[in-house]
């Protein structure tokens, strides 16, 4: 199937060519024709499948006729996070360059008045996070009665973040005649319920089961000691052993671990920077821009970054921790091996984490191979001081040093497998959902009651000796995420 067979306008086809897309991806082949026929679409697709273009291209076609009026946008794209919204805006402006449309980005953390001024001049497209969109609506800055096409992106992520009540409110403000393109990687019952309620005879397009991992990605498990410091050393050895790292994301389960890893990797000469939930919007975007530009080689992230970041050519994903929820693994490693490129995904595994690996293997329906044998023992552990004389990691990552591989220690592996139960990370140690959200400035709008999970009860120490009680105050009260 070619782009020219999908029914796109000549101007959009030109834009596709300029964007360098030669063949449509399955979600594009499945979703674009019904979207162009003004049908509702229910797309089951993950990030990396090309789903952004699957809604941007028909939207561009639609917007070729007609004009936006002040405060009444013609199309609306809802995204769960600020980063995703900013990325979709970028994609929209890149692909829609020749269309000269007005795109307003309504997200938290940036000036409300500038956004209001933009809508006031008339926006063809509003790309928003639900909370900020409702803020604009409630302050009388925007009317949704002119929306011809609505896109809900990453609906399951919206559910995770407690946005479903907001989505339902927004739906009720839209004209009955609008067309909806609805995308989700998974279909939990709550999402099923809202699709039944709001989509009219949708065309369902499912491109790959949620549990699939990209076949171009090489996945490996690496044994690691339970001690936090030794585990960080194991990570450094792993990073050093990879000679072809162009850029990489290092995932950790907890925000506190992200902070510790950033400091530790920097101290050891790695070109690393962190991205997590309580950075302000500017800092996040700056970090992401530097990462995209290749100025940062290792992006250390918590799961807030796991879904949706459009970083097309991440060569490696390193999981410092095994994610406790198997689905997070699929999302994490979805950052590499995208659009047919070769990807590499490594995961450090302590004995206590082995049970979570089993759950992941069940989900992805394959066994992940172990990488050689790199278990360091307590006594042979390389101290921080001992590592210092090593060559520093430059930003290009071109002059990679020779791997420092630990000697095989079968005995140690056997020992690790017998680790006491207490060493295992309790399920409650998973950060509450709001930890993954972004802080946002106070607004005058009354906070709605959301599906918030409680803060962790008590102080649960993480593997780095941090306590959840160290969380900043804003994490323990409901916050608007955007
Ligand atoms: P997405 O799933 O929308 O995040 O897209 C993943 C990546 O694939 C992005 O970098 C897109 O620019 C790229 N992409 C989307 N559609 C195509 C296509 N038809 N051919 C090649 N790359 C594409």
């Amino acid at each position: 199937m070619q782009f020219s067979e999908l029914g796109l306008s000549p101007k959009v086809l030109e834009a596709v060519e300029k964007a360098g897309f030669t063949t449509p991806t399955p979600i594009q082949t499945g979703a674009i024709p019904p979207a162009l026929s003004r049908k509702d679409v229910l797309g089951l697709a993950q990030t990396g499948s090309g789903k952004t273009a699957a809604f941007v291209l028909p939207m561009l076609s639609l917007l070729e006729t007609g004009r936006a009026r002040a405060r009444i946008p013609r199309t609306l794209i809802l995204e769960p996070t600020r980063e995703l919204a900013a990325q979709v805006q970028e994609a929209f402006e890149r692909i829609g360059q020749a269309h000269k449309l007005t795109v307003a980005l309504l997200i938290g953390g940036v000036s409300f008045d500038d956004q209001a001024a933009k809508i006031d001049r008339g926006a063809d497209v509003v790309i928003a996070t639900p909370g900020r969109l409702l803020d604009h609506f409630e302050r009388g800055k925007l009317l949704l009665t002119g929306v011809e096409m609505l896109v809900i992106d990453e609906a399951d992520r919206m559910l995770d973040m407690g946005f479903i009540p907001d989505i339902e409110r927004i739906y009720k403000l839209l004209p009955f005649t609008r067309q909806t393109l609805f995308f989700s990687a998974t279909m939990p019952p709550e999402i099923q319920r809202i699709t039944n309620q709001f989509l009219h005879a949708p065309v369902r397009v499912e491109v790959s089961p949620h549990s699939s991992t990209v076949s171009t990605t090489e996945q490996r498990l690496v044994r690691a000691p339970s001690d936090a410091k030794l585990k960080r050393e194991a990570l450094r050895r792993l990073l050093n052993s990879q000679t072809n790292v162009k850029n990489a994301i290092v995932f950790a389960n907890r925000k506190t671990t992200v902070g510790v890893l950033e400091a530790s990797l920097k101290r050891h000469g790695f070109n690393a920077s962190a991205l997590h939930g309580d950075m302000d919007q500017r800092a996040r975007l700056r970090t992401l821009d530097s990462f995209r530009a290749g100025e940062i080689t290792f992006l250390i992230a918590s799961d807030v970054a796991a879904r949706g970041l459009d970083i097309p050519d991440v060569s490696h994903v390193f999981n410092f921790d095994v994610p406790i929820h198997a689905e997070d693994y699929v999302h994490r490693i979805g950052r590499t091996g995208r659009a047919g490129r070769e990807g590499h995904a490594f995961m450090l595994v302590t004995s206590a984490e082995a049970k979570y690996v089993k759950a992941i293997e069940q989900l992805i329906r394959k066994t992940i191979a172990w990488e050689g044998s790199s278990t360091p023992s307590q006594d042979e552990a390389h101290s921080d001081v001992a590592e210092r004389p090593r060559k520093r990691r430059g930003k290009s990552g071109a002059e990679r040093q020779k791997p420092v591989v630990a000697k095989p220690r079968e005995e140690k592996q056997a020992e690790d497998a017998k680790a006491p139960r207490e060493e295992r990370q309790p399920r409650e140690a998973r950060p509450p959902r709001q930890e993954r959200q972004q802080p946002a400035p106070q607004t005058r709008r009354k906070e709605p009651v959301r599906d918030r999970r409680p803060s962790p009860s008590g102080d649960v120490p993480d593997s780095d000796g941090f306590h959840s009680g160290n969380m900043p105050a804003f994490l323990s009260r409901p916050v608007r995420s955007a």
Side-chain angles (χ1 to χ4, degrees):
M1 181 74 92
Q2 296 300 308
F3 274 110
S4 56
E5 298 169 67
L6 300 179
L8 293 161
S9 72
K11 199 169 174 183
V12 174
L13 286 175
E14 258 176 56
V16 165
E17 205 182 320
K18 265 200 172 154
F21 302 162
T22 48
T23 319
T25 65
I27 187 70
Q28 291 161 1
T29 310
I32 291 174
L36 289 170
S37 324
R38 309 289 291 134
K39 289 187 179 133
D40 283 0
V41 172
L42 173 56
L44 276 144
Q46 295 179 43
T47 301
S49 60
K51 70 180 162 63
T52 313
F55 58 77
V56 166
L57 299 177
M59 193 176 266
L60 286 172
S61 283
L62 169 81
L63 291 169
E64 280 173 8
T65 52
R67 283 195 69 224
R69 286 171 291 157
R71 277 186 278 172
I72 310 182
R74 298 182 58 199
T75 58
L76 172 61
I77 302 172
L78 290 176
E79 295 289 338
T81 66
R82 299 168 184 181
E83 280 85 7
L84 266 169
Q87 281 168 27
V88 169
Q89 181 201 29
E90 214 176 274
F92 206 101
E93 292 188 334
R94 184 163 41 91
I95 303 172
Q97 231 170 39
H99 284 74
K100 308 240 176 313
L101 298 166
T102 310
V103 181
L105 181 66
L106 310 185
I107 55 175
V110 285
S111 159
F112 190 95
D113 292 340
D114 291 352
Q115 295 173 353
K118 192 145 195 190
I119 317 169
D120 221 26
R121 291 195 294 272
D124 299 289
V125 187
V126 163
I127 303 169
T129 46
R132 184 52 78 102
L133 182 85
L134 285 170
D135 283 343
H136 280 276
F137 174 78
E138 285 175 4
R139 294 194 203 179
K141 302 290 182 198
L142 152 103
L143 276 173
L144 296 175
T145 46
V147 171
E148 297 163 50
M149 181 188 275
L150 167 73
V151 174
I152 304 260
D153 196 16
E154 307 247 346
D156 50 356
R157 183 82 172 132
M158 300 262 196
L159 174 68
D160 280 355
M161 298 180 76
F163 284 148
I164 297 305
D166 282 353
I167 298 290
E168 291 185 300
R169 265 198 76 202
I170 292 167
Y171 257 114
K172 288 177 188 151
L173 302 172
L174 300 168
F176 183 74
T177 50
R178 94 265 142 176
Q179 176 188 12
T180 305
L181 312 182
F182 190 104
F183 293 88
S184 192
T186 55
M187 260 300 148
E190 184 66 358
I191 296 294
Q192 187 70 56
R193 181 184 70 75
I194 63 165
T195 59
N196 294 342
Q197 199 178 340
F198 294 113
L199 302 187
H200 304 299
V203 173
R204 187 183 165 108
V205 186
E206 188 166 357
V207 293
S208 65
H210 176 56
S211 56
S212 73
T213 48
V214 186
S215 58
T216 50
T217 297
E218 170 209 33
Q219 300 173 58
R220 290 283 179 272
L221 303 175
V222 180
R223 291 185 205 281
S226 304
D227 176 85
K229 189 166 175 244
L230 296 179
K231 196 178 181 189
R232 289 198 294 275
E233 286 182 22
L235 173 70
R236 292 197 293 275
R237 274 195 296 282
L238 174 62
L239 300 185
N240 282 325
S241 73
Q242 294 304 300
T243 50
N244 54 346
V245 176
K246 180 174 171 277
N247 56 356
I249 307 185
V250 179
F251 281 105
N253 286 357
R254 319 192 89 208
K255 196 175 54 175
T256 46
T257 314
V258 169
V260 173
L261 279 182
E262 181 187 29
S264 163
L265 287 176
K266 277 183 169 164
R267 196 152 38 84
H268 286 273
F270 288 87
N271 178 15
S273 207
L275 186 83
H276 53 62
D278 54 349
M279 283 164 74
D280 72 30
Q281 177 67 1
R282 277 176 207 286
R284 283 156 176 258
L285 293 178
R286 234 188 355 256
T287 303
L288 272 179
D289 283 347
S290 306
F291 187 58
R292 278 199 201 95
E295 291 154 17
I296 295 168
T297 310
F298 297 95
L299 185 72
I300 308 154
S302 57
D303 283 290
V304 74
R307 291 188 198 189
L309 293 187
D310 182 16
I311 307 160
D313 53 353
V314 173
S315 67
H316 288 64
V317 164
F318 297 99
N319 288 291
F320 180 74
D321 298 310
V322 177
I324 294 166
H325 292 268
E327 287 185 2
D328 286 343
Y329 176 78
V330 180
H331 287 294
R332 287 182 182 187
I333 78 157
R335 311 301 94 217
T336 184
R338 297 171 76 176
R341 296 182 189 92
E342 194 184 313
H344 308 271
F346 290 88
M347 182 154 68
L348 292 178
V349 184
T350 65
S351 55
E353 291 174 313
K355 64 180 172 190
Y356 300 123
V357 174
K358 283 208 177 72
I360 290 168
E361 290 179 333
Q362 272 165 12
L363 179 73
I364 65 174
R365 289 188 286 270
K366 61 180 160 202
T367 307
I368 311 172
W370 288 93
E371 176 81 352
S373 174
S374 57
T375 307
S377 70
Q378 307 277 338
D379 50 11
E380 76 169 352
H382 307 249
S383 75
D384 288 0
V385 175
E387 286 196 21
R388 240 168 235 142
R390 291 213 230 140
K391 196 172 171 184
R392 304 245 139 191
R393 310 299 302 266
K395 75 170 184 183
S396 70
E399 338 86 33
R400 300 275 169 238
Q401 61 198 39
K402 283 269 175 272
V404 182
V405 183
K407 291 185 191 108
R409 288 287 174 126
E410 299 304 331
E411 324 84 75
K412 175 63 186 147
Q413 289 169 19
E415 233 173 78
D416 269 354
K418 283 186 265 161
R421 270 198 92 73
E422 305 78 72
E423 265 182 52
R424 302 181 186 183
Q425 197 176 26
R427 193 177 171 84
E428 294 72 40
R430 179 178 167 80
R433 289 291 180 196
Q434 60 263 46
E435 182 175 347
R436 302 160 167 211
Q437 296 187 16
Q438 310 140 24
Q442 292 291 338
T443 68
R444 274 181 273 141
R445 193 161 96 82
K446 197 166 165 277
E447 288 293 339
V449 179
R450 288 228 176 78
D451 172 26
R452 303 282 181 209
R453 303 219 173 165
S455 299
S457 52
D459 264 0
V460 183
D462 76 5
S463 58
D464 287 294
F466 279 77
H467 291 258
S468 53
N470 293 346
M471 275 192 277
F474 72 82
L475 291 173
S476 55
R477 59 180 156 79
V479 290
R480 164 173 303 298
S481 104

